[in-house]
């Protein structure tokens, strides 16, 4: 543990336990769950691994220092105590992301600006020159978090949000966030031990994430870059060893993963994304209307999908959700069916009693992940076996 340091992984509401399990499985130490965050300890190699493999993390932050502050001048003075030359050279660029949950400080943009001034002024005073700000592609991403009067400064090891996996180049209206899709799959208990179906697959995200879980493929294997690759202590050899080790842990998958959509344009886009993810051997995308289908094979089937519930999409909510219930009940015996909806009223039209309801958020919209168990034969018969 001598080379270990504290890290903080940000996640979406409701996925904290899932992310903590992921981190423990990867080998994290001292894992602690917070609100939309999980803190843990590991070394530099583990930081690389967490970015590469965590399916439900949005960012992996490396806190460097924290202090109680009372006002803007206190923030400025605190930022100037940090030896920025350890992380940033005069020719590098940087960006600052600030989040504030405080009665003393209310404007995150002002906090970011004040932090920038302190860093620039320190460099100018010591060297006569200053590094520049680059919001799009900085060499160093700095995270400033103020919780009441405690200010924590972290280095953002991820850069852009980790939901940008790198495989999705073609999208439809309101595509599901990749971290959200992976989190829903893990909450549903998907482990790759049976057939899988997303009957309303859109751009194919759910099916792709399902395949990556089933085969234990690192979530961000296709990502173009991580922020830590521009750090002064970047160790490419170590990263390549970590990547190779993770790839050696992939596993075979002996079932089917099918994504279906009735829109030909969605099918085309989904196929492009499956190809980008190098998963054409595992994921099949086809055109079809779920309401006109039946279960194709005997045995257990796992369904997870994101049906439309947005007013921008012209559907009759009552009729549509009633059809979901009817199709599941009549045509899909021996199935665990899960879907997410942000239209809580729509659930009453399904006509089935969910065995589970889990509160999640799709963006800022409160939603529910619901589970319906479709038994092969009657429910009564199942319990008499």
């Amino acid at each position: 543990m001598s080379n270990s340091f504290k890290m903080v992984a940000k996640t979406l509401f409701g996925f904290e336990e899932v992310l903590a399990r992921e981190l423990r499985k990867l080998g994290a130490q001292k894992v602690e769950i917070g609100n939309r965050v999980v803190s843990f300890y590991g070394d530099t190699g583990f930081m690389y691994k967490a970015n590469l493999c965590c399916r439900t993390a949005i960012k992996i932050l490396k806190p460097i220092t924290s202090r109680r502050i009372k006002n803007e001048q206190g923030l400025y003075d605190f930022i100037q105590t940090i030896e920025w030359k350890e992380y940033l050279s005069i020719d590098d660029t940087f960006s600052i992301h600030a989040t504030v949950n405080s009665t003393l400080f209310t404007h995150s943009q002002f906090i970011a600006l004040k932090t920038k001034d302190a860093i620039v002024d320190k460099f100018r005073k010591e060297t006569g020159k200053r590094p520049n700000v680059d919001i799009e592609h900085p060499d160093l991403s700095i995270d400033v978090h103020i919780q009441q009067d405690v200010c924590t400064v972290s280095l953002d090891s991820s850069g852009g949000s980790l939901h940008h996996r790198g495989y999705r180049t073609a999208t439809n209206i309101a595509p599901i966030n990749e971290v959200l899709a992976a989190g829903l799959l893990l909450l549903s208990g998907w482990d790759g031990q049976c057939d899988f179906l997303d009957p309303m697959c859109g751009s194919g995200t759910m099916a792709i994430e399902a395949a990556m879980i089933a085969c234990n493929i690192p979530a961000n294997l296709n990502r173009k870059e991580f922020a830590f690759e521009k750090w002064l202590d970047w160790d490419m050899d170590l990263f390549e060893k970590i990547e190779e080790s993770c790839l050696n842990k992939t596993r075979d998958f002996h079932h089917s993963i099918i994504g279906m959509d009735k829109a030909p344009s969605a099918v085309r886009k989904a196929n492009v994304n499956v190809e980008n993810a190098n998963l054409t051997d595992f994921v099949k995308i086809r055109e079809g209307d779920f309401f006109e289908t039946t279960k194709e094979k005997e045995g257990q089937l796992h369904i997870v999908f994101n049906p439309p519930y947005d007013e921008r999409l012209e559907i009759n909510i009552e009729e549509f959700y009633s059809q979901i219930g009817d199709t599941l009940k009549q045509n899909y015996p021996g199935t665990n069916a899960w879907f997410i909806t942000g239209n809580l009223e729509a659930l009453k039209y399904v006509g089935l009693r969910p065995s589970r309801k889990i509160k999640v958020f799709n963006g800022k919209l409160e939603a529910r992940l619901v589970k319906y168990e479709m038994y092969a034969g009657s429910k009564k018969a199942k319990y008499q076996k």
Side-chain angles (χ1 to χ4, degrees), residues 72-93:
E72 287 85 10
Q73 187 60 44
L75 171 69
Y76 181 90
D77 293 343
F78 167 47
I79 297 299
Q80 288 222 320
T81 66
I82 299 169
E83 288 300 328
W84 288 107
K85 284 187 283 187
E86 292 180 16
Y87 314 108
L88 192 64
S89 80
I90 202 72
D91 298 316
D92 288 336
T93 58

mmCIF file with all atom_site columns, all heavy atoms in Angstrom, residues 72-93:
data_model
loop_
_atom_site.group_PDB
_atom_site.id
_atom_site.type_symbol
_atom_site.label_atom_id
_atom_site.label_alt_id
_atom_site.label_comp_id
_atom_site.label_asym_id
_atom_site.label_entity_id
_atom_site.label_seq_id
_atom_site.pdbx_PDB_ins_code
_atom_site.Cartn_x
_atom_site.Cartn_y
_atom_site.Cartn_z
_atom_site.occupancy
_atom_site.B_iso_or_equiv
_atom_site.pdbx_formal_charge
_atom_site.auth_seq_id
_atom_site.auth_comp_id
_atom_site.auth_asym_id
_atom_site.auth_atom_id
_atom_site.pdbx_PDB_model_num
ATOM 1   N N   . GLU A 1 72 ? -13.451 33.956 -0.908  1.00 0.00 ? 72 GLU A N   1
ATOM 2   C CA  . GLU A 1 72 ? -12.734 33.875 -2.183  1.00 0.00 ? 72 GLU A CA  1
ATOM 3   C C   . GLU A 1 72 ? -11.218 34.054 -2.001  1.00 0.00 ? 72 GLU A C   1
ATOM 4   O O   . GLU A 1 72 ? -10.429 33.384 -2.656  1.00 0.00 ? 72 GLU A O   1
ATOM 5   C CB  . GLU A 1 72 ? -13.258 34.930 -3.171  1.00 0.00 ? 72 GLU A CB  1
ATOM 6   C CG  . GLU A 1 72 ? -14.630 34.636 -3.737  1.00 0.00 ? 72 GLU A CG  1
ATOM 7   C CD  . GLU A 1 72 ? -15.746 35.128 -2.822  1.00 0.00 ? 72 GLU A CD  1
ATOM 8   O OE1 . GLU A 1 72 ? -15.444 35.851 -1.857  1.00 0.00 ? 72 GLU A OE1 1
ATOM 9   O OE2 . GLU A 1 72 ? -16.913 34.764 -3.077  1.00 0.00 ? 72 GLU A OE2 1
ATOM 10  N N   . GLN A 1 73 ? -10.830 34.952 -1.112  1.00 0.00 ? 73 GLN A N   1
ATOM 11  C CA  . GLN A 1 73 ? -9.409  35.165 -0.876  1.00 0.00 ? 73 GLN A CA  1
ATOM 12  C C   . GLN A 1 73 ? -8.765  33.911 -0.282  1.00 0.00 ? 73 GLN A C   1
ATOM 13  O O   . GLN A 1 73 ? -7.637  33.545 -0.629  1.00 0.00 ? 73 GLN A O   1
ATOM 14  C CB  . GLN A 1 73 ? -9.186  36.361 0.073   1.00 0.00 ? 73 GLN A CB  1
ATOM 15  C CG  . GLN A 1 73 ? -7.726  36.760 0.235   1.00 0.00 ? 73 GLN A CG  1
ATOM 16  C CD  . GLN A 1 73 ? -7.071  37.174 -1.091  1.00 0.00 ? 73 GLN A CD  1
ATOM 17  O OE1 . GLN A 1 73 ? -7.669  37.911 -1.885  1.00 0.00 ? 73 GLN A OE1 1
ATOM 18  N NE2 . GLN A 1 73 ? -5.857  36.703 -1.349  1.00 0.00 ? 73 GLN A NE2 1
ATOM 19  N N   . GLY A 1 74 ? -9.518  33.242 0.582   1.00 0.00 ? 74 GLY A N   1
ATOM 20  C CA  . GLY A 1 74 ? -9.039  31.989 1.162   1.00 0.00 ? 74 GLY A CA  1
ATOM 21  C C   . GLY A 1 74 ? -8.827  30.928 0.095   1.00 0.00 ? 74 GLY A C   1
ATOM 22  O O   . GLY A 1 74 ? -7.850  30.162 0.132   1.00 0.00 ? 74 GLY A O   1
ATOM 23  N N   . LEU A 1 75 ? -9.745  30.873 -0.876  1.00 0.00 ? 75 LEU A N   1
ATOM 24  C CA  . LEU A 1 75 ? -9.600  29.945 -2.000  1.00 0.00 ? 75 LEU A CA  1
ATOM 25  C C   . LEU A 1 75 ? -8.347  30.282 -2.809  1.00 0.00 ? 75 LEU A C   1
ATOM 26  O O   . LEU A 1 75 ? -7.538  29.398 -3.114  1.00 0.00 ? 75 LEU A O   1
ATOM 27  C CB  . LEU A 1 75 ? -10.840 30.014 -2.906  1.00 0.00 ? 75 LEU A CB  1
ATOM 28  C CG  . LEU A 1 75 ? -10.730 29.263 -4.231  1.00 0.00 ? 75 LEU A CG  1
ATOM 29  C CD1 . LEU A 1 75 ? -10.699 27.755 -4.004  1.00 0.00 ? 75 LEU A CD1 1
ATOM 30  C CD2 . LEU A 1 75 ? -11.889 29.624 -5.168  1.00 0.00 ? 75 LEU A CD2 1
ATOM 31  N N   . TYR A 1 76 ? -8.195  31.557 -3.139  1.00 0.00 ? 76 TYR A N   1
ATOM 32  C CA  . TYR A 1 76 ? -7.046  32.018 -3.937  1.00 0.00 ? 76 TYR A CA  1
ATOM 33  C C   . TYR A 1 76 ? -5.731  31.657 -3.246  1.00 0.00 ? 76 TYR A C   1
ATOM 34  O O   . TYR A 1 76 ? -4.813  31.090 -3.862  1.00 0.00 ? 76 TYR A O   1
ATOM 35  C CB  . TYR A 1 76 ? -7.164  33.527 -4.150  1.00 0.00 ? 76 TYR A CB  1
ATOM 36  C CG  . TYR A 1 76 ? -6.068  34.136 -4.979  1.00 0.00 ? 76 TYR A CG  1
ATOM 37  C CD1 . TYR A 1 76 ? -6.204  34.237 -6.361  1.00 0.00 ? 76 TYR A CD1 1
ATOM 38  C CD2 . TYR A 1 76 ? -4.901  34.631 -4.389  1.00 0.00 ? 76 TYR A CD2 1
ATOM 39  C CE1 . TYR A 1 76 ? -5.200  34.811 -7.140  1.00 0.00 ? 76 TYR A CE1 1
ATOM 40  C CE2 . TYR A 1 76 ? -3.890  35.201 -5.149  1.00 0.00 ? 76 TYR A CE2 1
ATOM 41  C CZ  . TYR A 1 76 ? -4.047  35.285 -6.517  1.00 0.00 ? 76 TYR A CZ  1
ATOM 42  O OH  . TYR A 1 76 ? -3.049  35.845 -7.289  1.00 0.00 ? 76 TYR A OH  1
ATOM 43  N N   . ASP A 1 77 ? -5.657  31.947 -1.945  1.00 0.00 ? 77 ASP A N   1
ATOM 44  C CA  . ASP A 1 77 ? -4.424  31.670 -1.186  1.00 0.00 ? 77 ASP A CA  1
ATOM 45  C C   . ASP A 1 77 ? -4.148  30.165 -1.117  1.00 0.00 ? 77 ASP A C   1
ATOM 46  O O   . ASP A 1 77 ? -2.990  29.723 -1.232  1.00 0.00 ? 77 ASP A O   1
ATOM 47  C CB  . ASP A 1 77 ? -4.548  32.235 0.241   1.00 0.00 ? 77 ASP A CB  1
ATOM 48  C CG  . ASP A 1 77 ? -4.608  33.764 0.256   1.00 0.00 ? 77 ASP A CG  1
ATOM 49  O OD1 . ASP A 1 77 ? -4.240  34.379 -0.766  1.00 0.00 ? 77 ASP A OD1 1
ATOM 50  O OD2 . ASP A 1 77 ? -5.055  34.322 1.286   1.00 0.00 ? 77 ASP A OD2 1
ATOM 51  N N   . PHE A 1 78 ? -5.219  29.389 -0.939  1.00 0.00 ? 78 PHE A N   1
ATOM 52  C CA  . PHE A 1 78 ? -5.086  27.926 -0.862  1.00 0.00 ? 78 PHE A CA  1
ATOM 53  C C   . PHE A 1 78 ? -4.544  27.364 -2.176  1.00 0.00 ? 78 PHE A C   1
ATOM 54  O O   . PHE A 1 78 ? -3.602  26.559 -2.194  1.00 0.00 ? 78 PHE A O   1
ATOM 55  C CB  . PHE A 1 78 ? -6.438  27.311 -0.503  1.00 0.00 ? 78 PHE A CB  1
ATOM 56  C CG  . PHE A 1 78 ? -6.526  25.827 -0.689  1.00 0.00 ? 78 PHE A CG  1
ATOM 57  C CD1 . PHE A 1 78 ? -5.531  24.966 -0.226  1.00 0.00 ? 78 PHE A CD1 1
ATOM 58  C CD2 . PHE A 1 78 ? -7.629  25.256 -1.329  1.00 0.00 ? 78 PHE A CD2 1
ATOM 59  C CE1 . PHE A 1 78 ? -5.622  23.596 -0.398  1.00 0.00 ? 78 PHE A CE1 1
ATOM 60  C CE2 . PHE A 1 78 ? -7.722  23.888 -1.505  1.00 0.00 ? 78 PHE A CE2 1
ATOM 61  C CZ  . PHE A 1 78 ? -6.718  23.056 -1.041  1.00 0.00 ? 78 PHE A CZ  1
ATOM 62  N N   . ILE A 1 79 ? -5.113  27.783 -3.293  1.00 0.00 ? 79 ILE A N   1
ATOM 63  C CA  . ILE A 1 79 ? -4.682  27.289 -4.608  1.00 0.00 ? 79 ILE A CA  1
ATOM 64  C C   . ILE A 1 79 ? -3.212  27.635 -4.847  1.00 0.00 ? 79 ILE A C   1
ATOM 65  O O   . ILE A 1 79 ? -2.462  26.862 -5.456  1.00 0.00 ? 79 ILE A O   1
ATOM 66  C CB  . ILE A 1 79 ? -5.575  27.869 -5.732  1.00 0.00 ? 79 ILE A CB  1
ATOM 67  C CG1 . ILE A 1 79 ? -7.029  27.400 -5.576  1.00 0.00 ? 79 ILE A CG1 1
ATOM 68  C CG2 . ILE A 1 79 ? -5.041  27.465 -7.112  1.00 0.00 ? 79 ILE A CG2 1
ATOM 69  C CD1 . ILE A 1 79 ? -7.251  25.901 -5.641  1.00 0.00 ? 79 ILE A CD1 1
ATOM 70  N N   . GLN A 1 80 ? -2.779  28.779 -4.339  1.00 0.00 ? 80 GLN A N   1
ATOM 71  C CA  . GLN A 1 80 ? -1.383  29.190 -4.542  1.00 0.00 ? 80 GLN A CA  1
ATOM 72  C C   . GLN A 1 80 ? -0.392  28.387 -3.708  1.00 0.00 ? 80 GLN A C   1
ATOM 73  O O   . GLN A 1 80 ? 0.806   28.402 -3.986  1.00 0.00 ? 80 GLN A O   1
ATOM 74  C CB  . GLN A 1 80 ? -1.240  30.689 -4.245  1.00 0.00 ? 80 GLN A CB  1
ATOM 75  C CG  . GLN A 1 80 ? -1.873  31.570 -5.313  1.00 0.00 ? 80 GLN A CG  1
ATOM 76  C CD  . GLN A 1 80 ? -1.020  32.765 -5.651  1.00 0.00 ? 80 GLN A CD  1
ATOM 77  O OE1 . GLN A 1 80 ? -0.412  33.391 -4.794  1.00 0.00 ? 80 GLN A OE1 1
ATOM 78  N NE2 . GLN A 1 80 ? -0.966  33.098 -6.935  1.00 0.00 ? 80 GLN A NE2 1
ATOM 79  N N   . THR A 1 81 ? -0.872  27.682 -2.679  1.00 0.00 ? 81 THR A N   1
ATOM 80  C CA  . THR A 1 81 ? 0.048   26.847 -1.885  1.00 0.00 ? 81 THR A CA  1
ATOM 81  C C   . THR A 1 81 ? 0.415   25.553 -2.608  1.00 0.00 ? 81 THR A C   1
ATOM 82  O O   . THR A 1 81 ? 1.367   24.868 -2.226  1.00 0.00 ? 81 THR A O   1
ATOM 83  C CB  . THR A 1 81 ? -0.578  26.474 -0.520  1.00 0.00 ? 81 THR A CB  1
ATOM 84  O OG1 . THR A 1 81 ? -1.722  25.629 -0.738  1.00 0.00 ? 81 THR A OG1 1
ATOM 85  C CG2 . THR A 1 81 ? -0.982  27.700 0.265   1.00 0.00 ? 81 THR A CG2 1
ATOM 86  N N   . ILE A 1 82 ? -0.337  25.209 -3.635  1.00 0.00 ? 82 ILE A N   1
ATOM 87  C CA  . ILE A 1 82 ? -0.087  23.945 -4.351  1.00 0.00 ? 82 ILE A CA  1
ATOM 88  C C   . ILE A 1 82 ? 1.105   24.105 -5.298  1.00 0.00 ? 82 ILE A C   1
ATOM 89  O O   . ILE A 1 82 ? 1.215   25.106 -6.008  1.00 0.00 ? 82 ILE A O   1
ATOM 90  C CB  . ILE A 1 82 ? -1.356  23.516 -5.138  1.00 0.00 ? 82 ILE A CB  1
ATOM 91  C CG1 . ILE A 1 82 ? -2.524  23.299 -4.175  1.00 0.00 ? 82 ILE A CG1 1
ATOM 92  C CG2 . ILE A 1 82 ? -1.084  22.250 -5.958  1.00 0.00 ? 82 ILE A CG2 1
ATOM 93  C CD1 . ILE A 1 82 ? -3.878  23.142 -4.856  1.00 0.00 ? 82 ILE A CD1 1
ATOM 94  N N   . GLU A 1 83 ? 2.001   23.121 -5.283  1.00 0.00 ? 83 GLU A N   1
ATOM 95  C CA  . GLU A 1 83 ? 3.164   23.155 -6.185  1.00 0.00 ? 83 GLU A CA  1
ATOM 96  C C   . GLU A 1 83 ? 2.740   22.677 -7.576  1.00 0.00 ? 83 GLU A C   1
ATOM 97  O O   . GLU A 1 83 ? 2.930   21.520 -7.957  1.00 0.00 ? 83 GLU A O   1
ATOM 98  C CB  . GLU A 1 83 ? 4.289   22.278 -5.625  1.00 0.00 ? 83 GLU A CB  1
ATOM 99  C CG  . GLU A 1 83 ? 4.970   22.856 -4.405  1.00 0.00 ? 83 GLU A CG  1
ATOM 100 C CD  . GLU A 1 83 ? 5.622   24.212 -4.684  1.00 0.00 ? 83 GLU A CD  1
ATOM 101 O OE1 . GLU A 1 83 ? 6.091   24.443 -5.817  1.00 0.00 ? 83 GLU A OE1 1
ATOM 102 O OE2 . GLU A 1 83 ? 5.639   25.046 -3.752  1.00 0.00 ? 83 GLU A OE2 1
ATOM 103 N N   . TRP A 1 84 ? 2.192   23.591 -8.345  1.00 0.00 ? 84 TRP A N   1
ATOM 104 C CA  . TRP A 1 84 ? 1.617   23.221 -9.639  1.00 0.00 ? 84 TRP A CA  1
ATOM 105 C C   . TRP A 1 84 ? 2.662   22.721 -10.632 1.00 0.00 ? 84 TRP A C   1
ATOM 106 O O   . TRP A 1 84 ? 2.332   21.990 -11.570 1.00 0.00 ? 84 TRP A O   1
ATOM 107 C CB  . TRP A 1 84 ? 0.834   24.417 -10.220 1.00 0.00 ? 84 TRP A CB  1
ATOM 108 C CG  . TRP A 1 84 ? -0.441  24.642 -9.466  1.00 0.00 ? 84 TRP A CG  1
ATOM 109 C CD1 . TRP A 1 84 ? -0.722  25.636 -8.587  1.00 0.00 ? 84 TRP A CD1 1
ATOM 110 C CD2 . TRP A 1 84 ? -1.590  23.797 -9.492  1.00 0.00 ? 84 TRP A CD2 1
ATOM 111 N NE1 . TRP A 1 84 ? -1.995  25.479 -8.057  1.00 0.00 ? 84 TRP A NE1 1
ATOM 112 C CE2 . TRP A 1 84 ? -2.546  24.349 -8.603  1.00 0.00 ? 84 TRP A CE2 1
ATOM 113 C CE3 . TRP A 1 84 ? -1.925  22.619 -10.163 1.00 0.00 ? 84 TRP A CE3 1
ATOM 114 C CZ2 . TRP A 1 84 ? -3.796  23.778 -8.381  1.00 0.00 ? 84 TRP A CZ2 1
ATOM 115 C CZ3 . TRP A 1 84 ? -3.171  22.049 -9.942  1.00 0.00 ? 84 TRP A CZ3 1
ATOM 116 C CH2 . TRP A 1 84 ? -4.090  22.627 -9.062  1.00 0.00 ? 84 TRP A CH2 1
ATOM 117 N N   . LYS A 1 85 ? 3.927   23.084 -10.425 1.00 0.00 ? 85 LYS A N   1
ATOM 118 C CA  . LYS A 1 85 ? 4.982   22.633 -11.347 1.00 0.00 ? 85 LYS A CA  1
ATOM 119 C C   . LYS A 1 85 ? 5.172   21.117 -11.311 1.00 0.00 ? 85 LYS A C   1
ATOM 120 O O   . LYS A 1 85 ? 5.754   20.554 -12.230 1.00 0.00 ? 85 LYS A O   1
ATOM 121 C CB  . LYS A 1 85 ? 6.297   23.344 -11.019 1.00 0.00 ? 85 LYS A CB  1
ATOM 122 C CG  . LYS A 1 85 ? 6.331   24.785 -11.502 1.00 0.00 ? 85 LYS A CG  1
ATOM 123 C CD  . LYS A 1 85 ? 7.682   25.431 -11.323 1.00 0.00 ? 85 LYS A CD  1
ATOM 124 C CE  . LYS A 1 85 ? 7.893   25.816 -9.878  1.00 0.00 ? 85 LYS A CE  1
ATOM 125 N NZ  . LYS A 1 85 ? 9.145   26.619 -9.696  1.00 0.00 ? 85 LYS A NZ  1
ATOM 126 N N   . GLU A 1 86 ? 4.657   20.477 -10.262 1.00 0.00 ? 86 GLU A N   1
ATOM 127 C CA  . GLU A 1 86 ? 4.723   19.008 -10.201 1.00 0.00 ? 86 GLU A CA  1
ATOM 128 C C   . GLU A 1 86 ? 3.748   18.367 -11.191 1.00 0.00 ? 86 GLU A C   1
ATOM 129 O O   . GLU A 1 86 ? 3.873   17.193 -11.531 1.00 0.00 ? 86 GLU A O   1
ATOM 130 C CB  . GLU A 1 86 ? 4.389   18.527 -8.784  1.00 0.00 ? 86 GLU A CB  1
ATOM 131 C CG  . GLU A 1 86 ? 5.424   18.884 -7.742  1.00 0.00 ? 86 GLU A CG  1
ATOM 132 C CD  . GLU A 1 86 ? 5.025   18.388 -6.364  1.00 0.00 ? 86 GLU A CD  1
ATOM 133 O OE1 . GLU A 1 86 ? 4.116   17.525 -6.274  1.00 0.00 ? 86 GLU A OE1 1
ATOM 134 O OE2 . GLU A 1 86 ? 5.603   18.873 -5.370  1.00 0.00 ? 86 GLU A OE2 1
ATOM 135 N N   . TYR A 1 87 ? 2.752   19.142 -11.623 1.00 0.00 ? 87 TYR A N   1
ATOM 136 C CA  . TYR A 1 87 ? 1.690   18.585 -12.480 1.00 0.00 ? 87 TYR A CA  1
ATOM 137 C C   . TYR A 1 87 ? 1.588   19.265 -13.846 1.00 0.00 ? 87 TYR A C   1
ATOM 138 O O   . TYR A 1 87 ? 0.980   18.722 -14.766 1.00 0.00 ? 87 TYR A O   1
ATOM 139 C CB  . TYR A 1 87 ? 0.331   18.733 -11.781 1.00 0.00 ? 87 TYR A CB  1
ATOM 140 C CG  . TYR A 1 87 ? 0.335   18.320 -10.339 1.00 0.00 ? 87 TYR A CG  1
ATOM 141 C CD1 . TYR A 1 87 ? 0.255   19.265 -9.315  1.00 0.00 ? 87 TYR A CD1 1
ATOM 142 C CD2 . TYR A 1 87 ? 0.444   16.969 -9.974  1.00 0.00 ? 87 TYR A CD2 1
ATOM 143 C CE1 . TYR A 1 87 ? 0.261   18.887 -7.977  1.00 0.00 ? 87 TYR A CE1 1
ATOM 144 C CE2 . TYR A 1 87 ? 0.457   16.590 -8.633  1.00 0.00 ? 87 TYR A CE2 1
ATOM 145 C CZ  . TYR A 1 87 ? 0.370   17.562 -7.643  1.00 0.00 ? 87 TYR A CZ  1
ATOM 146 O OH  . TYR A 1 87 ? 0.388   17.186 -6.327  1.00 0.00 ? 87 TYR A OH  1
ATOM 147 N N   . LEU A 1 88 ? 2.169   20.444 -13.953 1.00 0.00 ? 88 LEU A N   1
ATOM 148 C CA  . LEU A 1 88 ? 1.901   21.297 -15.107 1.00 0.00 ? 88 LEU A CA  1
ATOM 149 C C   . LEU A 1 88 ? 3.177   22.050 -15.479 1.00 0.00 ? 88 LEU A C   1
ATOM 150 O O   . LEU A 1 88 ? 3.817   22.652 -14.608 1.00 0.00 ? 88 LEU A O   1
ATOM 151 C CB  . LEU A 1 88 ? 0.803   22.291 -14.702 1.00 0.00 ? 88 LEU A CB  1
ATOM 152 C CG  . LEU A 1 88 ? 0.087   23.161 -15.719 1.00 0.00 ? 88 LEU A CG  1
ATOM 153 C CD1 . LEU A 1 88 ? -0.707  22.310 -16.707 1.00 0.00 ? 88 LEU A CD1 1
ATOM 154 C CD2 . LEU A 1 88 ? -0.868  24.121 -14.990 1.00 0.00 ? 88 LEU A CD2 1
ATOM 155 N N   . SER A 1 89 ? 3.553   22.004 -16.764 1.00 0.00 ? 89 SER A N   1
ATOM 156 C CA  . SER A 1 89 ? 4.703   22.800 -17.202 1.00 0.00 ? 89 SER A CA  1
ATOM 157 C C   . SER A 1 89 ? 4.194   24.102 -17.825 1.00 0.00 ? 89 SER A C   1
ATOM 158 O O   . SER A 1 89 ? 3.007   24.236 -18.139 1.00 0.00 ? 89 SER A O   1
ATOM 159 C CB  . SER A 1 89 ? 5.547   22.022 -18.218 1.00 0.00 ? 89 SER A CB  1
ATOM 160 O OG  . SER A 1 89 ? 4.961   22.099 -19.507 1.00 0.00 ? 89 SER A OG  1
ATOM 161 N N   . ILE A 1 90 ? 5.087   25.010 -18.019 1.00 0.00 ? 90 ILE A N   1
ATOM 162 C CA  . ILE A 1 90 ? 4.720   26.336 -18.532 1.00 0.00 ? 90 ILE A CA  1
ATOM 163 C C   . ILE A 1 90 ? 4.104   26.257 -19.933 1.00 0.00 ? 90 ILE A C   1
ATOM 164 O O   . ILE A 1 90 ? 3.307   27.109 -20.336 1.00 0.00 ? 90 ILE A O   1
ATOM 165 C CB  . ILE A 1 90 ? 5.954   27.275 -18.519 1.00 0.00 ? 90 ILE A CB  1
ATOM 166 C CG1 . ILE A 1 90 ? 5.518   28.738 -18.522 1.00 0.00 ? 90 ILE A CG1 1
ATOM 167 C CG2 . ILE A 1 90 ? 6.905   26.998 -19.664 1.00 0.00 ? 90 ILE A CG2 1
ATOM 168 C CD1 . ILE A 1 90 ? 4.941   29.180 -17.228 1.00 0.00 ? 90 ILE A CD1 1
ATOM 169 N N   . ASP A 1 91 ? 4.473   25.234 -20.692 1.00 0.00 ? 91 ASP A N   1
ATOM 170 C CA  . ASP A 1 91 ? 3.979   25.102 -22.065 1.00 0.00 ? 91 ASP A CA  1
ATOM 171 C C   . ASP A 1 91 ? 2.698   24.265 -22.147 1.00 0.00 ? 91 ASP A C   1
ATOM 172 O O   . ASP A 1 91 ? 2.125   24.096 -23.221 1.00 0.00 ? 91 ASP A O   1
ATOM 173 C CB  . ASP A 1 91 ? 5.048   24.460 -22.951 1.00 0.00 ? 91 ASP A CB  1
ATOM 174 C CG  . ASP A 1 91 ? 6.309   25.316 -23.019 1.00 0.00 ? 91 ASP A CG  1
ATOM 175 O OD1 . ASP A 1 91 ? 6.160   26.544 -23.175 1.00 0.00 ? 91 ASP A OD1 1
ATOM 176 O OD2 . ASP A 1 91 ? 7.409   24.754 -22.897 1.00 0.00 ? 91 ASP A OD2 1
ATOM 177 N N   . ASP A 1 92 ? 2.257   23.721 -21.014 1.00 0.00 ? 92 ASP A N   1
ATOM 178 C CA  . ASP A 1 92 ? 1.031   22.916 -20.993 1.00 0.00 ? 92 ASP A CA  1
ATOM 179 C C   . ASP A 1 92 ? -0.209  23.802 -20.922 1.00 0.00 ? 92 ASP A C   1
ATOM 180 O O   . ASP A 1 92 ? -0.133  24.977 -20.555 1.00 0.00 ? 92 ASP A O   1
ATOM 181 C CB  . ASP A 1 92 ? 1.026   21.975 -19.777 1.00 0.00 ? 92 ASP A CB  1
ATOM 182 C CG  . ASP A 1 92 ? 2.013   20.837 -19.911 1.00 0.00 ? 92 ASP A CG  1
ATOM 183 O OD1 . ASP A 1 92 ? 2.361   20.496 -21.063 1.00 0.00 ? 92 ASP A OD1 1
ATOM 184 O OD2 . ASP A 1 92 ? 2.443   20.304 -18.874 1.00 0.00 ? 92 ASP A OD2 1
ATOM 185 N N   . THR A 1 93 ? -1.332  23.194 -21.274 1.00 0.00 ? 93 THR A N   1
ATOM 186 C CA  . THR A 1 93 ? -2.624  23.874 -21.107 1.00 0.00 ? 93 THR A CA  1
ATOM 187 C C   . THR A 1 93 ? -3.403  23.181 -19.992 1.00 0.00 ? 93 THR A C   1
ATOM 188 O O   . THR A 1 93 ? -3.129  22.027 -19.663 1.00 0.00 ? 93 THR A O   1
ATOM 189 C CB  . THR A 1 93 ? -3.446  23.834 -22.405 1.00 0.00 ? 93 THR A CB  1
ATOM 190 O OG1 . THR A 1 93 ? -3.645  22.463 -22.780 1.00 0.00 ? 93 THR A OG1 1
ATOM 191 C CG2 . THR A 1 93 ? -2.743  24.577 -23.532 1.00 0.00 ? 93 THR A CG2 1
#
